[in-house]
């Protein structure tokens, strides 16, 4: 079984644009305070009055929820820190970055979830409603995650609920208003066609972020409207019943019918009528007593070291590790033994791949505070990274390293039993070294009690179950994760595990047949050896040349298993639908969406009313990161195209597109019999069969698994990377080198790429910035921007060969694919 090291996934699709804002350590003249309310910890340079006001607002929202939903658990195992800035100018350097590398200056406040801590940030300047809308929305998500888990709740339900309660207001600390109308959503819905409910309910957590901006906006608006209609229409009890059924894995459509006693079509009619109304009601609750929390709050001044430590920790958690470093360095200079600052600085150094420096800071953190559970956990995490290869895999840990990790994790668990990440890493160490696997599953299930629905923990359970050959349980769990996750890494691991299980099952089935036949031979049912002794054992052989199975043969078996796995996961076609395999040559949006389909023998057009109506699925990693939208370039992918033919029309459009499923280049459609067959057919892999011939009568041999799984895995990954690389178009060149720097000037942003013969200065087109794809874990946490440090990880880059004397550049950079250090570009 292949074991993959745990790592925090980086954003795999980054678009580079203008200069990054330099981080500047907090000035000593700022007066910082920390406030502890009943359920929140706040720190900021705003006034004490303003910080108390924010604390009161958050406590009132939480308390309103607690009183309305008395059976809900609000005691999350992950603490929440709130940073309150005194002004927009003070807040701006700490806002998150957009995909283009610029600060998202329009953010009025945000909620940043984390594995160890959540952060809420805001400025006391600005409109309250605008500031708290996003915070309340995300806080509702955190409550849902704490109680059920994001993956267990349908996306429309989760987003609709969060949008409904995000408009929370309270008057005189006593009268709460919930479900106020969202004008933007209403305007959008009144100008757009609703998504059919059967399609709205089918949209997964993974598909939602892949949708275009307009499609996603309609999804949020309609989910809000549906939730608003259900709650305001006194269907709350049915809504609760629906959720309970879904949590029991009852299919959504059946759960919907059983709970609401109506069909999707009936509900759609009611929803259309509801959206068309001129006015909307909202819930109003008058509490017996005022919701005030001032008496429970404590306020203390904060020194410069502490404020820098929290600002650095915030930047680290919003994936700005390089920007965090200056604040954390300032903190440890002012207070060398501050455990929190040393811990986060160690985490920054891990992100920067400076493992020796990281170890020093984490050891100092553990020495500075022996009750700092995060220091012990991060130290164990650091040790777990040291033994992995360039793809993130590790075969085993040395006994002394495993002992150090377990000791650190036991300390972390003892200090904070509800910090679930420690259980997951402990289980990973055991899985790698094939030890205490039952105990590891028990630990992971305990972690899931603290964080229900956490798919990372469920994925690790599936991997352990597969390692124990408990294939049925492992396959069921992996299949569920692959279809419900919104995390590309989890999806990839789940699909990979399902494929591995299929391969193992085929191998076991062939071995079982071999052993049964060999047993019959030994019992005398075959001719046997001279003198009536035990006959030679039978071999799995290739029919063509009657030689034993080689690694190449087994690789074919694995490829067939993957082919069958994809075939089994395809959307089932409905009556009257046709399916072809080809390429999407063009996507146009004029009076609907028109797709130009190119197959081997012809080119034709299909239409869809909107992108929401399409069933989208990807079985190749590169397609998962490519948006399907107007003018999108999907031509490099092979797609299974499912459509309903049109009859009796004279338009050039052949039919209505219903599904796009992106598949590998070597994919082909199998019959159900081929998918279900336990054997590999001649068409699949030169027919693997049982034969009674042996090289010598005395040679006692058995079927062996592939002799070098690591080499086969490496070869397969390298092959996949080569297939995924962008092919240069006419007028473009492709080379391999290293990115030395990104320079931002008034004339534009330039990439300096060093090859074996020269350094190329390439311009980043502001209207079409380069796509950056990471095919290696060595760049985890790297920030791409104008202050980028030289990256000693090779990149395959494509650029337009158009030298420009004015900018002194060799052309425009089109794409960069960062690859493993051993990669060879042929």
């Amino acid at each position: 079984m292949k074991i993959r090291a745990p790592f925090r996934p980086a954003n795999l699709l980054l678009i580079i644009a203008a200069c990054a804002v330099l981080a500047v350590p907090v000035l000593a003249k700022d007066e910082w305070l920390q406030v502890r309310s009943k359920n929140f910890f706040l720190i900021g340079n705003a006034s004490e009055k303003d910080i108390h006001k924010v604390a009161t607002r958050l406590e009132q929202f939480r308390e309103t929820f607690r009183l309305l939903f008395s059976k809900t658990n609000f005691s999350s195992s992950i603490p929440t820190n709130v940073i309150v800035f005194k002004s927009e100018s003070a807040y701006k350097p700490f806002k998150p970055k957009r995909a283009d590398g610029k600060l998202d200056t329009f953010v009025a406040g945000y909620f940043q979830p984390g594995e160890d801590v959540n952060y809420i940030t805001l400025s006391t300047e600005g409109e309250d409603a605008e500031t708290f809308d996003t915070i309340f929305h995300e806080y509702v998500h955190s409550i849902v995650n704490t109680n059920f888990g994001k993956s267990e709740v349908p996306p429309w339900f989760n987003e609709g609920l969060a949008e409904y309660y995000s408009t929370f207001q309270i008057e005189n600390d006593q009268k709460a208003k919930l479900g106020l109308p969202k004008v933007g959503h209403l305007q959008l819905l009144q100008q757009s066609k609703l998504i059919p409910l059967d399609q709205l309910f089918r949209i997964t957590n993974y598909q939602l972020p892949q949708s275009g901006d307009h499609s996603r906006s309609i999804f949020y608006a309609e989910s809000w409207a549906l939730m608003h209609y259900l709650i305001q229409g006194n269907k709350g009890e049915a809504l609760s019943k629906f959720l309970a059924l879904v949590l029991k894995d009852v299919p959504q459509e059946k759960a919907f019918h059983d709970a609401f006693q109506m069909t999707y079509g009936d509900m759609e009619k009611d929803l259309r009528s509801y959206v068309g109304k001129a006015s909307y009601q909202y819930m109003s609750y008058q509490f017996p007593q005022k919701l005030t929390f001032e008496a429970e709050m404590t306020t203390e001044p904060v020194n410069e070291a502490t404020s820098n430590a929290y600002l650095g920790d915030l930047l680290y958690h919003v994936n700005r590790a390089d920007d965090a470093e200056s604040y954390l360095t300032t903190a440890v200079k002012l207070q060398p033994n501050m455990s929190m600052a040393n811990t986060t600085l160690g985490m920054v150094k891990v992100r920067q791949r400076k493992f020796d420096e990281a170890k020093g800071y984490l050891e100092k953190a553990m020495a500075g505070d022996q009750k700092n559970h995060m220091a012990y956990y991060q130290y164990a995490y650091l040790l777990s990274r040291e033994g992995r290869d360039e793809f993130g895999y590790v075969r085993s840990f040395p006994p002394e390293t495993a002992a150090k990790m377990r000791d650190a994790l036991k300390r972390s668990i003892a200090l904070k039993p509800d910090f679930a990440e420690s259980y997951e890493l402990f289980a990973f160490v055991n899985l790698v070294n094939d030890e205490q696997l039952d105990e590891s599953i028990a630990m992971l299930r305990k972690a899931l009690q603290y964080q229900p629905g956490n798919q990372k923990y469920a994925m690790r359970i599936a991997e352990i179950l597969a390692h124990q050959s408990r294939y049925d349980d492992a396959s069921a769990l992996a299949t569920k994760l692959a279809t419900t996750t919104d995390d590309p890494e989890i999806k990839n691991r789940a699909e990979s595990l399902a494929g591995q299980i299929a391969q193992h099952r085929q191998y076991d089935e062939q071995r079982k047949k071999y052993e049964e036949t060999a047993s019959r031979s030994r019992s005398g049912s075959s001719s046997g050896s001279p003198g009536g002794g035990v006959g030679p054992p039978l071999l799995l052989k290739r029919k063509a040349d009657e030689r034993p199975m080689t690694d190449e043969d087994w690789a074919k078996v694995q490829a067939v298993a993957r082919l069958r796995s994809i075939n089994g996961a395809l959307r089932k076609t409905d009556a009257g639908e046709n399916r072809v395999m080809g390429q999407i040559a063009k996507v146009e949006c004029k009076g609907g969406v028109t797709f130009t389909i190119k197959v081997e023998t012809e080119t034709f057009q299909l239409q869809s009313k909107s992108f929401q109506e399409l069933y989208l699925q990807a079985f190749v990693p590169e397609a998962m990161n490519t948006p399907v939208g107007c003018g999108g370039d999907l031509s490099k992918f092979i797609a299974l195209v499912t459509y309903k033919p049109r009859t009796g029309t004279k338009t050039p459009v052949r039919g209505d597109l219903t599904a796009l499923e992106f598949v590998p280049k070597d994919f082909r459609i199998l019959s159900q019999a081929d998918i279900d067959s336990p054997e590999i057919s001649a068409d699949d892999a030169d027919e693997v069969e049982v034969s009674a011939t042996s090289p010598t009568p005395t040679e006692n041999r058995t079927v062996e698994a592939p002799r070098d799984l690591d080499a086969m895995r490496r070869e397969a990954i390298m092959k996949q990377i080569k297939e995924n690389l962008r092919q240069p178009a006419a007028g473009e060149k492709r080379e391999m080198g290293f990115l030395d720097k990104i320079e931002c000037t008034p004339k534009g942003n330039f990439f300096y790429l060093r090859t074996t013969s020269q350094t190329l200065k390439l311009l980043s087109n502001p209207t079409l910035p380069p796509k950056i794809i990471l095919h290696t874990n060595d760049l985890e946490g790297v920030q791409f921007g104008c202050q980028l440090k030289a990256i000693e990880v090779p990149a395959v880059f494509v650029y337009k060969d158009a030298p420009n004397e004015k900018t002194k550049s060799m052309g425009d950079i089109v794409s960069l694919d960062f690859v493993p250090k051993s990669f060879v570009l042929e």
Side-chain angles (χ1 to χ4, degrees):
M1 184 65 62
K2 303 165 191 171
I3 307 300
R4 188 179 182 92
F7 72 96
R8 287 107 189 212
N11 185 2
L12 297 183
L13 182 58
L14 300 174
I15 304 177
I16 303 304
C19 304
V21 177
L22 283 173
V24 180
V26 67
L27 299 178
K29 64 180 181 181
D30 283 339
E31 182 180 355
W32 283 73
L33 301 172
Q34 69 175 34
V35 174
R36 292 189 183 276
S37 66
K38 185 177 181 180
N39 296 289
F40 295 93
F41 171 77
L42 302 91
I43 184 172
N45 58 3
S47 68
E48 180 177 359
K49 178 182 177 182
D50 284 342
I51 297 176
H52 278 217
K53 181 181 176 182
V54 172
T56 297
R57 188 78 173 272
L58 293 171
E59 291 286 3
Q60 287 174 335
F61 181 75
R62 185 184 186 279
E63 182 66 8
T64 299
F65 247 78
R66 190 190 69 80
L67 293 171
L68 292 177
F69 304 98
S70 58
K71 295 181 180 180
T72 302
N73 176 25
F74 289 87
S75 301
S76 173
S77 62
I78 301 175
T80 298
N81 294 337
V82 185
I83 299 186
V84 185
F85 295 94
K86 65 181 181 181
S87 63
E88 272 297 306
S89 59
Y91 184 23
K92 182 178 178 180
F94 303 96
K95 293 187 177 184
K97 288 184 177 179
R98 303 195 308 255
D100 61 4
K102 293 182 180 180
L103 290 176
D104 196 342
T105 56
F106 291 101
V107 167
Y110 65 88
F111 184 108
Q112 176 65 42
E115 296 172 340
D116 57 319
V117 63
N118 302 321
Y119 271 102
I120 292 174
T121 68
L122 69 159
S123 162
T124 54
E125 285 186 347
E127 191 70 32
D128 279 355
E130 179 186 3
T131 300
F132 282 93
D133 187 286
T134 300
I135 292 172
F136 289 156
H137 176 106
E138 296 300 331
Y139 191 68
V140 171
H141 281 328
S142 74
I143 294 172
V144 171
N145 295 346
T146 297
N147 287 269
F148 311 113
K150 179 180 180 180
S151 62
E152 304 300 307
V153 178
W156 74 267
F157 185 101
N158 203 347
E159 298 300 341
L161 191 73
E163 284 291 271
Y164 178 86
Y165 287 109
S166 68
T167 59
F168 168 82
Q169 291 183 11
I170 191 165
E171 296 177 355
N172 300 320
D173 297 327
Q174 196 167 7
K175 184 179 180 180
K177 296 179 181 179
L178 300 167
L180 292 167
K182 303 201 77 163
V183 177
H185 285 344
L186 288 171
Q187 291 176 344
L188 180 62
L189 291 174
Q190 289 167 357
Q191 297 168 4
S192 308
K193 185 176 180 181
L194 292 180
I195 304 171
L197 288 190
D198 63 334
Q199 293 182 23
L200 183 79
F201 284 13
R202 282 204 309 267
I203 294 175
T204 66
N205 286 310
Y206 181 79
Q207 291 171 330
L208 182 57
Q210 312 299 324
S211 306
D213 291 342
H214 182 70
S215 301
R216 195 160 56 247
S217 296
I218 295 176
F219 175 88
Y220 278 94
E222 186 169 338
S223 297
W224 165 80
L226 179 57
M227 186 62 67
H228 199 283
Y229 162 69
L230 294 174
I231 293 175
Q232 297 296 143
N234 296 319
K235 297 184 184 298
E237 186 175 338
L239 189 63
S240 298
K241 183 178 179 180
F242 168 79
L243 179 60
L245 290 171
V246 169
L247 292 172
K248 293 178 181 178
D249 290 329
V250 175
Q252 260 199 93
E253 187 168 1
K254 185 178 188 317
F256 184 92
H257 182 270
D258 290 350
F260 296 103
Q261 295 295 302
M262 61 194 312
T263 65
Y264 286 163
D266 292 336
M267 181 69 79
E268 275 183 47
K269 293 177 183 177
D270 291 348
L271 182 60
R272 286 194 192 96
S273 175
Y274 192 76
V275 168
K277 290 172 58 176
S279 62
Y280 288 80
Q281 296 180 338
Y282 59 86
M283 294 288 187
S284 179
Y285 293 92
Q286 183 83 21
F287 297 109
Q289 298 178 338
K290 287 191 174 185
L291 302 182
T292 57
F293 301 89
E294 284 280 342
E296 299 171 294
M297 295 183 192
T298 60
T299 305
E300 296 179 14
V302 171
N303 61 32
E304 187 179 353
T306 302
S307 59
N308 273 278
Y310 275 102
L311 290 173
D313 195 62
L314 168 66
L315 288 171
Y316 171 83
H317 281 85
V318 294
N319 201 33
R320 295 176 56 187
D322 290 343
D323 294 339
E325 185 174 3
S326 60
Y327 292 93
L328 297 165
T329 301
T330 298
V332 296
K333 282 182 180 178
L334 294 170
Q335 199 169 323
N337 295 323
M338 182 186 290
S339 185
M340 174 191 171
N342 280 297
T343 299
T344 310
L345 191 51
M347 293 153 64
V348 167
K349 294 300 179 181
V350 170
R351 285 276 186 93
Q352 296 173 341
R353 304 169 306 285
K354 299 177 180 178
F355 297 137
D356 288 340
E357 292 183 47
K359 189 174 293 185
Y361 284 115
L362 292 172
E363 288 174 346
K364 187 181 289 187
M366 291 185 291
D369 182 2
Q370 296 184 3
K371 293 184 178 180
N372 183 348
H373 71 281
M374 276 303 297
Y376 290 108
Y377 167 77
Q378 292 294 344
Y379 183 74
Y381 175 75
L382 167 64
L383 295 177
S384 76
R385 289 184 54 119
E386 291 182 332
R388 74 179 191 177
D389 66 13
E390 59 191 329
F391 303 111
Y393 291 93
V394 59
R395 180 168 289 280
S396 65
F397 293 116
E400 62 275 14
T401 302
K404 285 183 180 179
M405 286 190 284
R406 288 193 182 103
D407 180 64
L409 291 168
K410 286 179 181 177
R411 288 173 178 262
S412 179
I413 291 170
L415 290 167
K416 190 168 177 55
D418 61 354
F419 179 59
E421 288 292 298
S422 293
Y423 298 103
E424 198 277 338
L425 185 54
F426 204 109
F428 171 74
V429 175
N430 288 341
L431 175 58
V432 170
N433 282 18
D434 195 19
E435 299 170 339
Q436 307 171 34
L437 297 184
D438 287 336
E439 179 185 352
S440 297
I441 291 176
M443 295 180 78
L444 289 165
R445 285 176 176 156
K446 187 172 184 180
L448 285 168
Q449 291 178 2
Y450 293 120
Q451 292 188 30
N454 188 307
Q455 294 182 316
K456 184 167 68 172
Y457 307 155
M459 187 67 236
R460 192 67 75 197
I461 290 176
E463 290 168 345
I464 294 176
L465 290 171
H467 197 73
Q468 294 177 313
S469 299
R470 296 162 64 180
Y471 295 140
D472 288 343
D473 293 338
S475 180
L477 187 51
T479 300
K480 180 179 179 180
L481 290 169
T483 55
T484 60
T485 187
D486 63 345
D487 185 335
E489 191 211 357
I490 295 292
K491 185 176 182 66
N492 184 54
R493 283 168 61 187
E495 291 176 345
S496 176
L497 181 62
Q500 290 179 40
I501 290 172
Q503 295 166 24
H504 278 275
R505 279 175 165 161
Q506 289 178 334
Y507 172 77
D508 289 345
E509 184 67 26
Q510 294 290 342
R511 188 182 186 94
K512 181 180 178 181
K513 289 186 176 183
Y514 160 76
E515 290 173 348
E516 289 174 351
T517 309
S519 176
R520 290 195 297 270
S521 174
R522 294 188 181 97
S523 66
S525 60
S526 63
S527 59
S529 59
V534 177
L538 309 180
L539 293 174
L540 277 176
K541 301 179 59 176
R542 288 172 52 106
K543 187 176 183 180
D545 53 13
E546 295 191 343
R547 60 178 172 79
M549 290 275 287
T550 65
D551 287 352
E552 182 181 358
D553 299 328
W554 278 108
K556 289 184 178 181
V557 172
Q558 290 178 324
V560 172
R562 178 167 174 263
L563 180 64
R564 289 179 173 180
S565 176
I566 294 176
N567 268 271
L570 292 175
R571 173 186 175 272
K572 304 301 180 185
T573 55
D574 294 332
E577 290 185 335
N578 289 350
R579 173 181 275 165
V580 296
M581 190 158 71
Q583 293 170 287
I584 312 300
K586 190 186 298 183
V587 183
E588 300 174 287
C589 296
K590 294 178 180 179
V593 187
T594 302
F595 294 79
T596 301
I597 312 298
K598 183 178 180 180
V599 299
E600 187 175 354
T601 57
E602 61 178 331
T603 298
F604 59 93
Q605 291 182 333
L606 298 172
Q607 280 191 339
S608 174
K609 294 179 181 178
S610 67
F611 293 105
Q612 292 91 347
E613 296 184 0
L614 289 180
Y615 176 89
L616 298 174
Q617 182 62 283
F619 297 96
V620 284
E622 65 273 22
M624 297 175 184
N625 296 316
T626 301
V628 178
C630 304
D633 183 9
L634 305 172
S635 59
K636 65 179 179 179
F637 304 120
I638 303 299
L640 277 182
V641 180
T642 305
Y643 67 97
K644 293 181 179 179
R646 292 182 182 178
T647 58
T649 62
K650 296 183 180 181
T651 65
V653 177
R654 179 169 297 181
D656 297 311
L657 183 65
T658 55
L660 289 176
E661 297 172 278
F662 298 101
V663 295
K665 294 179 180 178
D666 59 353
F667 179 80
R668 58 193 175 86
I669 299 175
L670 300 178
S671 67
Q672 191 61 46
D674 286 337
I675 296 172
D676 296 336
S677 173
E679 297 183 4
I680 305 299
S681 69
D683 291 335
D684 288 336
D686 297 330
E687 191 173 9
V688 177
E689 64 172 20
V690 176
S691 171
T693 305
S694 176
T696 64
T698 58
E699 186 174 356
N700 223 2
R701 300 181 63 182
T702 59
V703 179
E704 295 181 355
R707 290 186 292 277
D708 191 349
L709 289 173
D710 286 340
M712 291 181 65
R713 171 175 54 78
R714 179 178 297 275
E715 181 182 351
I717 293 175
M718 290 298 191
K719 180 181 178 182
Q720 187 68 44
I721 291 175
K722 289 178 182 178
E723 291 178 352
N724 293 344
L725 291 177
R726 189 185 191 281
Q727 298 297 319
E732 295 180 346
K733 285 187 177 180
R734 184 171 74 176
E735 296 192 47
M736 186 167 171
F738 297 88
L739 179 59
D740 279 344
K741 66 177 179 179
I742 300 175
E743 181 182 61
C744 299
T745 73
K747 293 183 179 180
N749 301 338
F750 298 92
F751 286 65
Y752 288 79
L753 287 142
R754 169 173 39 93
T755 69
T756 54
S757 59
Q758 62 180 325
T759 296
L760 296 171
K761 179 183 177 182
L762 301 171
L763 176 65
S764 173
N765 188 325
T767 60
L768 191 63
K771 289 184 178 179
I772 297 182
I773 306 295
L774 309 184
H775 300 283
T776 171
N777 293 329
D778 288 338
L779 290 176
E780 178 191 341
V782 169
Q783 293 174 275
F784 291 89
C786 299
Q787 305 304 318
L788 179 75
K789 302 173 184 177
I791 296 178
E792 294 304 319
V793 174
V796 177
F797 59 97
V798 175
Y799 65 98
K800 292 182 179 179
D801 186 19
N804 187 318
E805 279 295 324
K806 186 176 180 180
T807 61
K808 305 296 183 184
S809 67
M810 297 299 294
D812 291 354
I813 181 74
V814 175
S815 66
L816 291 101
D817 285 78
F818 287 92
V819 295
K821 294 178 180 178
S822 60
F823 182 83
V824 177
L825 180 64
E826 298 173 353

